[in-house]
């Protein structure tokens, strides 16, 4: 839609909401693509994910501009203002998820040149599936305005953190076992960390979506299991 | 200042600008503290940095709320709207810098338990000083409204990227040399990556600050040297 189109207030709100859905769908596709590219060493797919990030950035700029213009021009009251501000924040997190998926995709080449131990692929895949489920889930729950579901989904981030700690420790042992694993494992370490951070952005989105839907904040202190910053395996 | 205080439009703009300065000063202090704590294994200092992040988050929430209220209530025109929207974006990047400094600080314990090779400390310190200079520089240039300086500063991010690539390769070789280095080097790898990402956030801030000051965008395609995602040392 061109910027000179005259839109009603509701149409403007719907435009912002549609952009969030688009960005949500794209972030799910990018995460799924990056994981598949990583686990199957698919360079062409990895390139697609990298290219998708440009679309994501353009969508965010569109949303940001639409939302700010809407606030300045329409002076929306409480609930609508909450929805628009919430959309700006959710868009920020969705854009970051796209960025992290792109970063995983960019590492496909470096990882692919070393044989990855089979068990390790399994652990990373398990973590990736948890993350992908969260990314897709949070967008669906926001679209369906399911407050309770968003609350439960936020709590599930803990599972990702636990799986990340397991992958982190496993990668360290592979590196210690054989120096030839170090380069690939280092890149996989960053991929796993990126997946864990995608989980954190999903948490932010769940919190903002909950606020948009209910008008109240979820309690701040989600139990955060972040063990790897202090992990020193024997 | 309490939220019920009646403020003039200019006072509201100044409040937002003051919060950006506060967050800028705090981010510089947090980055400096995290680096010093890491290189001297100072656990108490590391704890201070972690605690500072709560203050940073509170400042960002204050800024966000002030800025959104200001836009909704005052319907600012072009230049003022640009300043307020720019402030929201800069605050987002400053908050992320604080987060990354906190993450470095949280790794101090895990790194400190292994002896870090002396040359490596030197490389990381060199990278850290570049990053710290950029963080402090971007805030000073924004406060002084120095558009040309912001442009130059953005270009300097390349130096950080080059130094990061050097640190990354060096860390890999230490890990390959002796498996006992792997755990500490892994944490240092994340610390170096965090420093590189702080540089990226400084770049974003420079771009937003330039836009606030001049009303025009810096050209989009900054040359980005990100070699480590494809680095596979022989």
């Amino acid at each position: 839609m061109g910027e000179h189109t005259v839109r009603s207030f509701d149409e403007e709100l719907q435009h912002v909401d549609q952009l969030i859905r688009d960005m949500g769908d794209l972030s799910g596709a990018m995460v799924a693509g990056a994981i598949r590219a990583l686990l199957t060493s698919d360079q062409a797919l990895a390139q697609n994910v990298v290219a998708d990030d440009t679309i994501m950035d353009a969508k965010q700029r569109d949303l940001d501009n639409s939302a700010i213009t809407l606030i300045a021009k329409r002076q929306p009251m409480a609930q609508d203002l909450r929805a628009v501000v919430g959309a700006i924040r959710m868009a920020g997190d969705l854009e970051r998820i796209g960025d992290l998926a792109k970063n995983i995709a960019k590492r496909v080449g470096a990882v692919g040149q070393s044989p990855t131990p089979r068990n390790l692929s399994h652990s990373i895949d398990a973590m990736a599936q948890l993350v992908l489920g969260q990314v897709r889930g949070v967008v669906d729950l926001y679209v369906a305005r399911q407050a309770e579901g968003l609350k439960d989904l936020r709590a599930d981030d803990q599972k990702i953190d636990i799986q990340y700690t397991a992958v982190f420790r496993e990668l360290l042992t592979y590196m210690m076992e054989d120096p030839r694993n170090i380069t690939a494992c280092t890149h996989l370490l960053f991929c796993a960390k990126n997946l864990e951070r995608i989980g954190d952005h999903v948490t932010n989105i769940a919190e903002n979506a909950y606020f948009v839907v209910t008008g109240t904040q979820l309690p701040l202190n989600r139990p955060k299991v972040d063990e790897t910053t202090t992990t020193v395996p024997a």
Side-chain angles (χ1 to χ4, degrees), chain A residues 177-188:
Chain A
E177 240 168 63
D178 186 344
R180 285 169 298 182
N181 291 332
I182 287 175
T183 302
C185 285
T186 296
H187 289 291
L188 288 173

Side-chain angles (χ1 to χ4, degrees), chain A residues 16 30 44 50 62 116 124 127 141 172 199:
Chain A
V16 168
M30 287 177 75
V50 172
D62 187 356
T116 313
I124 290 179
M127 182 182 177
L141 289 167
L172 286 191

Side-chain angles (χ1 to χ4, degrees), chain A residues 35 39 118-132 134 155-172 174 188-189 191-197 199-200 222 224-228 231:
Chain A
I35 293 161
L39 296 175
R118 254 194 122 56
N119 290 339
L120 189 55
S121 299
H122 181 77
S123 303
I124 290 179
D125 193 27
M127 182 182 177
Q129 295 313 320
L130 284 177
V131 172
L132 187 56
Q134 291 283 92
D156 280 347
D157 185 50
Q158 242 187 91
K159 294 179 192 162
I160 296 175
D161 292 340
I162 290 165
Q163 186 66 17
Y164 170 61
T165 303
V167 169
F168 181 87
R169 300 185 77 102
E170 214 175 326
L171 281 164
L172 286 191
Y174 281 113
L188 288 173
L189 210 52
C191 292
K193 182 68 190 169
N194 286 344
L195 289 171
E196 187 261 348
R197 286 172 55 212
D200 289 343
R222 180 183 67 93
K224 170 76 187 163
V225 184
D226 180 7
E227 283 179 353
T228 68
T231 294

